[in-house]
Amino acid sequence: MKDSDSIVIIPTYNERENIEKIIRAVFALDKVFHILVVDDGSPDGTADIVKGLMATEFADRLFIVERSGKLGLGTAYIAGFKWGLERGYDYIFEMDADFSHDPKDLPRLYSACADEGYDLAIGSRYISGVNVVNWPMGRVLMSYFASKYVRMVTGFHVKDTTAGFKCYRRRVLETIDLDAIRFKGYGFQIEMKYTTYKCGFRIKEVPVIFVNRVEGTSKMSSGIFSEAFWGVMRLRWDGWFRKYPQANHEDNHQ
């Protein structure tokens, strides 16, 4: 029985060191969140840990979608978005499994949408300086300048365009044609924000501190950055010639 208006989507691949801890951290919050884990066939048994917790403790608030292999971050989130929309959640979150996103920031993202009326709340590393802990300097610079590059090419004024810690109001995901989203890796994060912006929805960046993972292995690769680099050019082209569905702001504060 659904007793929350919010679902947190956590995509996983080989996160056995983190998954139980992140689930318990979310469920320890005063605000009630549900969690959907989208697991891409993790050979390390991540899905078995989740299913064990579902069977013993969290049957009514923890859920899993199992996929057959590594199908990409973007498709994992889209599968999660569709799952959440079908089950009537009003606020749909993206969050990593590795504690780079602090679960204690979830209520702040929720408040930006539920209380302040924004349609998308972004947990932003760069809205108040550079709030990144334990990242190699090269990675910090790459991420920071990637966001500057996106703003320069697209004219899109979000400071942290590659952030993966977000809260969407359901009407954003109902308006966007999710099947038309092209990018699979971190370019997906840029494309979703840019599309939200082009559809006329209201966006707020909420300052967060991003902490590099302590356990498990990073999934970053040069291919991810290559997709994002060339994909931004494609987004700019789309921005000129593509017709985006437009937000209906009549129910903005419902």
Side-chain angles (χ1 to χ4, degrees):
M1 179 175 168
K2 190 159 82 70
D3 61 352
S4 176
D5 58 359
S6 302
I7 187 80
V8 180
I9 302 168
I10 304 178
T12 56
Y13 183 78
N14 286 352
E15 292 288 357
R16 67 172 296 118
E17 297 97 340
N18 295 306
I19 192 61
E20 180 171 351
K21 286 181 266 189
I22 198 79
I23 288 168
R24 291 190 182 280
V26 173
F27 289 160
L29 298 169
D30 290 337
K31 157 75 181 157
V32 177
F33 293 92
H34 289 180
I35 294 174
L36 173 67
V37 174
V38 182
D39 186 71
D40 271 9
S42 297
D44 72 346
T46 298
D48 292 332
I49 294 170
V50 175
K51 288 187 284 189
L53 292 169
M54 290 169 62
T56 58
E57 294 183 63
F58 304 122
D60 58 345
R61 57 194 300 202
L62 176 61
F63 310 95
I64 189 168
V65 169
E66 294 183 82
R67 307 200 304 168
S68 59
K70 290 187 75 174
L71 303 175
L73 182 77
T75 62
Y77 274 127
I78 286 173
F81 293 161
K82 291 179 177 180
W83 190 99
L85 291 173
E86 286 169 5
R87 285 155 183 83
Y89 290 95
D90 294 318
Y91 303 94
I92 299 177
F93 293 74
E94 297 182 14
M95 190 173 78
D96 289 348
D98 61 8
F99 284 94
S100 55
H101 305 144
D102 187 344
K104 292 177 183 173
D105 288 324
L106 285 169
R108 296 171 60 227
L109 297 181
Y110 174 82
S111 180
C113 291
D115 300 327
E116 298 177 46
Y118 288 92
D119 301 300
L120 168 60
I122 301 168
S124 176
R125 296 163 290 188
Y126 307 130
I127 194 66
S128 58
V130 179
N131 292 318
V132 177
V133 177
N134 292 339
W135 256 12
M137 183 53 67
R139 177 109 180 254
V140 173
L141 293 173
M142 187 181 295
S143 172
Y144 181 75
F145 285 107
S147 280
K148 288 185 78 72
Y149 164 73
V150 173
R151 294 200 304 275
M152 180 183 71
V153 172
T154 64
F156 174 40
H157 299 298
V158 164
K159 296 274 192 193
D160 195 349
T161 56
T162 60
F165 192 21
K166 299 187 284 186
C167 172
Y168 289 97
R169 292 182 67 185
R170 68 173 289 121
R171 66 197 196 96
V172 177
L173 301 178
E174 289 174 329
T175 300
I176 292 173
D177 181 359
L178 296 174
D179 293 326
I181 298 295
R182 286 188 295 262
F183 300 150
K184 302 294 188 285
Y186 281 78
F188 165 81
Q189 302 291 9
I190 302 169
E191 184 176 9
M192 283 296 297
K193 292 185 194 72
Y194 184 70
T195 304
T196 299
Y197 158 73
K198 291 294 287 185
C199 289
F201 288 109
R202 298 178 67 219
I203 300 172
K204 179 175 184 178
E205 290 188 84
V206 177
V208 300
I209 296 174
F210 182 97
V211 180
N212 197 28
R213 68 162 60 234
V214 175
E215 298 185 86
T217 305
S218 173
K219 313 305 188 295
M220 298 298 286
S221 71
S222 59
I224 285 171
F225 281 105
S226 175
E227 178 201 59
F229 181 85
W230 294 110
V232 170
M233 299 287 192
R234 181 72 179 269
L235 286 179
R236 174 74 271 195
W237 183 262
D238 283 354
W240 283 327
F241 298 108
R242 179 176 162 192
K243 185 173 176 58
Y244 290 85
Q246 291 301 297
N248 174 10
H249 289 290
E250 291 178 4
D251 62 344
N252 206 42
H253 294 283
Q254 287 185 5

